[in-house]
Amino acid sequence: MVEAALSAGVVGRAIERKTLDVAIHDLRDFTTDRHRTVDDVPFGGGPGMVMKAEPIFRALDAIEATRGMPLTVLLTSPQGTRFTQGEAERLSTLAHVVLLCGRYEGVDERVLSRVDAEVSIGDYVLSGGELPALVVLDTVARFVPGVVGDDQSVAEDSFSRGLLDFPHYTRPAEVGSDRVPDVLLSGNHAEIRRWRRREALARTLDRRPELLETAVLDDEEHQMLVELQKGRNAEARNGKTGT
Ligand code: JD8
């Protein structure tokens, strides 16, 4: 599952080019019994199985020995603190990060003695930590210089600015009767930039208003936001009175 995901796309190509160094480790390779057992029944009883601590400790020891310190260990878990764009940027500056993925009901609590942080990608239940680990890796990798072809586009990525993205269009200029906004065909790049900033603000106000509390806006964007809010308030009033 992890190998397949890492062979594709921007991150896959960065690994091929050696811009990113990613290794996958199978916890079963760090077991000592004939059945390569990584899980066991929970103390105290109950349904499901728990990941054993020792294979995880042996795997971390081996990674430390072969790849060296300093090493930051993250455990993907529904109990983790929410993984964000800001956290991804911070992780991208670290020399070496281990993403520990569990399965079953989770890992033996004593594994946490070797874990620097528990991260969750969101409030929904997945069946294991591999998809979250891939999400974290993909997001962090984009901040590593050279992974994304255009550094400019990383800096402008919508969540790095704290806003939703503006609408995108490509050819043809007309699909049925649905036309691309004239401004995008105008060749007026100052106008296009202004339109995109206003659209990004309008969408954020409409769909994710809480993002505006922490978004970094310049004076012109603040002014745009004030105008958009006036427009919305007017609409709300007219809605009430039926005008
Ligand atoms: C790691 C095992 C499955 C979780 C019983 C289903 C992250 N945002 C997230 N949602 N789910 C996970 C996640 C789920 C995991 C493991 C991460 C290891 N499971 C368990 C508890 C309930 N099963 C996650 N990050």
Side-chain angles (χ1 to χ4, degrees):
M1 171 181 191
V2 175
E3 272 168 17
L6 293 187
S7 68
V10 157
V11 172
R13 280 191 296 277
I15 295 168
E16 272 173 24
R17 279 189 269 111
K18 301 193 191 301
T19 303
L20 271 184
D21 184 6
V22 181
I24 305 167
H25 307 272
D26 183 347
L27 285 170
R28 289 196 193 282
D29 296 340
F30 301 93
T31 54
T32 53
D33 66 311
R34 212 163 58 81
H35 297 105
R36 314 219 302 156
T37 309
V38 293
D39 62 323
D40 207 337
V41 295
F43 274 121
M49 300 293 272
V50 175
M51 303 272 301
K52 292 166 69 63
E54 291 125 304
I56 295 173
F57 289 155
R58 278 194 290 269
L60 291 174
D61 290 342
I63 294 168
E64 246 169 42
T66 57
R67 311 204 110 215
M69 301 265 265
L71 188 133
T72 303
V73 180
L74 302 183
L75 175 65
T76 56
S77 145
Q79 277 72 53
T81 57
R82 181 67 62 83
F83 178 66
T84 62
Q85 188 74 355
E87 178 70 355
E89 186 162 19
R90 193 184 70 77
L91 293 174
S92 74
T93 67
L94 301 177
H96 189 178
V97 177
V98 175
L99 292 163
L100 191 51
C101 316
R103 276 266 150 175
Y104 316 108
E105 293 308 302
V107 304
D108 186 305
E109 192 69 13
R110 291 165 291 188
V111 166
L112 293 180
S113 66
R114 298 281 296 268
V115 167
D116 295 286
E118 264 182 277
V119 293
S120 164
I121 62 163
D123 295 340
Y124 34 80
V125 182
L126 298 166
S127 20
E130 296 87 352
L131 288 172
L134 287 165
V135 167
V136 170
L137 172 59
D138 190 280
T139 313
V140 172
R142 296 177 60 78
F143 283 108
V144 174
V147 168
V148 177
D150 183 2
D151 286 353
Q152 187 65 16
S153 73
V154 174
E156 286 174 7
D157 267 343
S158 75
F159 278 113
S160 287
R161 303 200 48 237
L163 295 175
L164 300 185
D165 205 359
F166 54 76
H168 299 270
Y169 295 88
T170 186
R171 290 181 292 184
E174 204 166 310
V175 176
S177 62
D178 201 352
R179 281 182 53 77
V180 171
D182 283 332
V183 60
L184 297 180
L185 308 175
S186 69
N188 184 337
H189 294 288
E191 264 308 309
I192 292 170
R193 260 195 304 279
R194 198 155 38 241
W195 181 84
R196 285 178 168 167
R197 289 157 83 199
R198 191 180 300 109
E199 289 293 319
L201 285 167
R203 280 178 155 190
T204 308
L205 183 60
D206 186 42
R207 303 180 194 180
R208 299 288 305 280
E210 79 282 7
L211 293 180
L212 294 169
E213 287 160 30
T214 48
V216 263
L217 305 181
D218 63 21
D219 290 348
E220 194 181 0
E221 286 166 331
H222 266 119
Q223 191 51 43
M224 283 177 181
L225 192 57
V226 169
E227 296 302 323
L228 286 165
Q229 273 161 332
K230 278 186 199 160
R232 290 179 112 227
N233 290 341
E235 233 166 76
R237 273 193 306 280
N238 295 339
K240 270 187 213 149
T241 58
T243 53

